[in-house]
Amino acid sequence: GRYDVDGFDFSAGRIRRSIDESLTRLRTDYLDVFLAHDVEFVHEKQIVEEAIPAMRHIQHEGKARFIGITGLQLNMLRRVAEAVPVDIILSYCRYNLLITDMDDVLTPFMKEHGLGLINASPLHMGILTSSGPPPWHPAAADVKEAGRAVVELCEHRGVRASDLALQFAFAHPCVATTLAGM
C-alpha cells in the first residue's frame, strides 16, 4: 500500500497488482507473509472494507500464506484487527528498552485470538545504538536524551546498548519475530 514517501494506495485493484508484481520480482508463486504496510496513513474504513478483504482473497488463491497489517498506532492496529480478521500484526517501535506499550494494547489481544505478533525496530529507530538516531528521527528531544543515557550507561558497564536492546526484544514470550533495520 505504500509506494512512495507520501504515496499510498490500499485499493483492492492496486493490492492485486502489487502481489503479482512482487511474485514476479521474487520469482515465486506465493509469499509466506503479505502485509499492508503503514495502514495509519489512510482512512481506517478503506483498510477494513477494501484492503484486508482483497488480501484475504489473495490468500484464498494461494498467493499468500498469512496476511496482516503494520503500523505505529497501536489502537488503530487493534481496531482494524477487531473489525476484520488478520493473521499477523507488525507493531513498529512500540516494544524496546524505551517503550513497552505494545504489551498494554496488542499483546493481550494477540494472545486471546492466537495471532502472530511481529515486533519491529527494537533499537527504537537507531536511538539505542552507539551512533544514535539519524537526523530525521521524529522522536522528542527527551526520548533521544533517554536513549543517549541508556547507551552511555551500557558503555560505562562494558555492554553494547544495541546488544542489550536486542536481547530484551528477543526475549518477549509472545513475539513470533523481531525485525531490526540495518
Side-chain angles (χ1 to χ4, degrees), residues 63-79:
K63 293 181 182 181
R65 291 184 63 212
F66 302 99
I67 65 163
I69 52 177
T70 82
L72 180 65
Q73 297 179 10
L74 296 171
N75 289 321
M76 181 188 186
L77 293 170
R78 183 170 174 156
R79 282 192 312 271

Side-chain angles (χ1 to χ4, degrees), residues 31-78:
L31 301 178
D32 287 320
V33 177
F34 186 41
L35 301 170
H37 182 56
D38 284 346
V39 295
E40 67 264 26
F41 287 95
V42 298
H43 196 280
E44 202 170 304
K45 183 178 179 180
Q46 185 181 29
I47 301 302
V48 169
E49 294 179 3
E50 189 172 3
I52 300 301
M55 294 171 73
R56 192 60 77 189
H57 181 74
I58 287 165
Q59 183 182 37
H60 290 304
E61 291 178 334
K63 293 181 182 181
R65 291 184 63 212
F66 302 99
I67 65 163
I69 52 177
T70 82
L72 180 65
Q73 297 179 10
L74 296 171
N75 289 321
M76 181 188 186
L77 293 170
R78 183 170 174 156

Side-chain angles (χ1 to χ4, degrees), residues 2-8 38 41:
R2 186 170 198 167
Y3 297 94
D4 200 346
V5 173
D6 293 317
F8 299 91
D38 284 346
F41 287 95

Side-chain angles (χ1 to χ4, degrees), residues 23-169:
L23 294 174
T24 298
R25 278 194 307 273
L26 294 168
R27 297 184 181 135
T28 189
D29 297 331
Y30 71 94
L31 301 178
D32 287 320
V33 177
F34 186 41
L35 301 170
H37 182 56
D38 284 346
V39 295
E40 67 264 26
F41 287 95
V42 298
H43 196 280
E44 202 170 304
K45 183 178 179 180
Q46 185 181 29
I47 301 302
V48 169
E49 294 179 3
E50 189 172 3
I52 300 301
M55 294 171 73
R56 192 60 77 189
H57 181 74
I58 287 165
Q59 183 182 37
H60 290 304
E61 291 178 334
K63 293 181 182 181
R65 291 184 63 212
F66 302 99
I67 65 163
I69 52 177
T70 82
L72 180 65
Q73 297 179 10
L74 296 171
N75 289 321
M76 181 188 186
L77 293 170
R78 183 170 174 156
R79 282 192 312 271
V80 168
E82 288 171 337
V84 63
V86 294
D87 305 314
I88 299 166
I89 296 179
L90 182 151
S91 172
Y92 188 76
C93 211
R94 301 310 284 261
Y95 185 84
N96 55 62
L97 291 176
L98 296 176
I99 189 169
T100 59
D101 60 352
M102 178 185 80
D103 275 349
D104 299 330
V105 179
L106 279 183
T107 303
F109 176 79
M110 304 301 280
K111 286 169 58 175
E112 178 183 344
H113 296 281
L115 304 177
L117 181 57
I118 299 172
N119 178 34
S121 197
L123 303 178
H124 209 84
M125 296 171 30
I127 288 180
L128 294 168
T129 65
S130 58
S131 58
W136 53 262
H137 199 291
D142 61 334
V143 174
K144 291 177 184 177
E145 181 53 39
R148 270 192 293 278
V150 169
V151 170
E152 288 174 11
L153 177 64
C154 287
E155 288 175 352
H156 178 72
R157 298 195 177 205
V159 175
R160 289 180 8 169
S162 57
D163 291 347
L164 182 64
L166 290 171
Q167 182 181 26
F168 174 80

